[in-house]
Amino acid sequence: MAVEMDKSLVREKIAKRAEREIESGFYVNLGIGIPTMVANYIQQDKEVVLQSENGLVGIGRSPYEEEVDPDLINAGKETVTASVGASYCSSAESFAMIRGEHLDLAILGGMEVSEQGDLANWMIPGKMIKGMGGAMDIVHGAKKIVIIMDHVNKHGEPKILKDCHLPLTGEGVVNRIITDRAVMDVCENDLILVEVAEGWTVDEVMQSTEAELTVSPELVEAAF
């Protein structure tokens, strides 16, 4: 059994692995939570434009304390920096980019993902929420959807399920799932286990996953 890591280190580990999904030249939307951390790890040789629903095109890394500008925020109301050449637009124009399928990739958080690629990430019944945000537009507008999250919830229960129990954000929209334990691809008829994180075994990943997994013949152990 893998040794439990500090929560912040787990989030960092997932964000670093997710960065590898980004290719130079991509326009990318980063969701709220762990996805926002991905901006801090984008390699310098990659030319990437990070887009936010609230109208910032060209998000940079998280600001140092002396750089914080309370008026410069992402869609999750977290302070950010603006990269060189960044531009500002209305939310209407930002959503036109999303709905017009101009995003190459979206990296979003998830509460539950099903083996068919259904995603639930916007609400828990009975809990107060501020609104659904832009996730429902993003999962249908971006060319590729990568979900990053903990493999299990705080009770140790699987988050990758045969069927989602929470209200759906989208049906069959997820292409890849990255957790602290593994990387899985959603294919037409299978959920394929393609990477196992260092310190975990295939059996441990399968035991902590309710959905049925098919092990890729090209499975690798990934140091992430």
Side-chain angles (χ1 to χ4, degrees):
M1 180 68 181
V3 177
E4 290 295 324
M5 296 176 63
D6 179 86
K7 189 68 174 177
S8 62
L9 293 178
V10 171
R11 290 164 61 89
E12 180 180 306
K13 169 183 173 179
I14 297 172
K16 285 181 176 179
R17 173 58 187 84
E19 187 277 337
R20 288 161 47 190
E21 301 298 310
I22 300 174
E23 297 179 22
S24 189
F26 270 16
Y27 281 74
V28 182
N29 182 286
L30 300 178
I32 296 170
I34 303 175
T36 60
M37 297 174 61
V38 176
N40 297 332
Y41 303 111
I42 295 177
Q43 298 174 44
Q44 293 185 353
D45 61 344
K46 292 182 181 179
E47 295 185 8
V48 178
V49 178
L50 301 180
Q51 184 258 17
S52 178
E53 300 98 294
N54 61 324
L56 175 53
V57 183
I59 296 174
R61 55 166 173 73
S62 299
Y64 298 119
E65 185 175 353
E66 64 274 13
E67 297 175 314
V68 170
D69 179 348
D71 293 323
L72 193 58
I73 58 173
N74 61 21
K77 297 181 174 60
E78 300 170 313
T79 54
V80 294
T81 58
S83 61
V84 175
S87 62
Y88 305 89
C89 62
S90 69
S91 288
E93 290 174 306
S94 179
F95 274 92
M97 289 181 62
I98 294 167
R99 294 168 184 164
E101 301 183 356
H102 299 292
L103 292 178
D104 298 289
L105 171 68
I107 301 176
L108 307 174
M111 297 174 184
E112 295 176 346
V113 181
S114 79
E115 61 187 15
Q116 299 85 25
D118 303 333
L119 171 66
N121 78 342
W122 73 281
M123 75 165 294
I124 297 175
K127 289 198 174 184
M128 182 72 70
I129 61 169
K130 296 179 181 178
M132 66 179 64
M136 292 181 183
D137 292 276
I138 293 168
V139 296
H140 291 97
K143 295 169 186 169
K144 181 178 180 180
I145 303 297
V146 173
I147 301 303
I148 64 176
M149 62 183 188
D150 294 326
H151 203 92
V152 299
N153 64 25
K154 63 182 180 181
H155 303 295
E157 301 164 337
K159 297 177 67 172
I160 304 166
L161 310 170
K162 290 185 177 296
D163 296 289
C164 294
H165 306 302
L166 296 173
L168 293 183
T169 306
E171 293 184 2
V173 294
V174 178
N175 301 110
R176 172 164 279 193
I177 308 165
I178 299 172
T179 74
D180 53 310
R181 303 183 185 187
V183 177
M184 292 141 284
D185 284 340
V186 182
C187 298
E188 187 173 354
N189 299 310
D190 286 303
L191 186 59
I192 310 295
L193 179 63
V194 295
E195 295 180 22
V196 173
E198 186 177 23
W200 295 93
T201 67
V202 170
D203 284 344
E204 287 171 340
V205 171
M206 298 185 84
Q207 288 168 11
S208 57
T209 306
E210 182 190 276
E212 186 174 342
L213 292 175
T214 298
V215 179
S216 169
E218 300 176 354
L219 177 78
V220 298
E221 181 181 284
F224 66 84

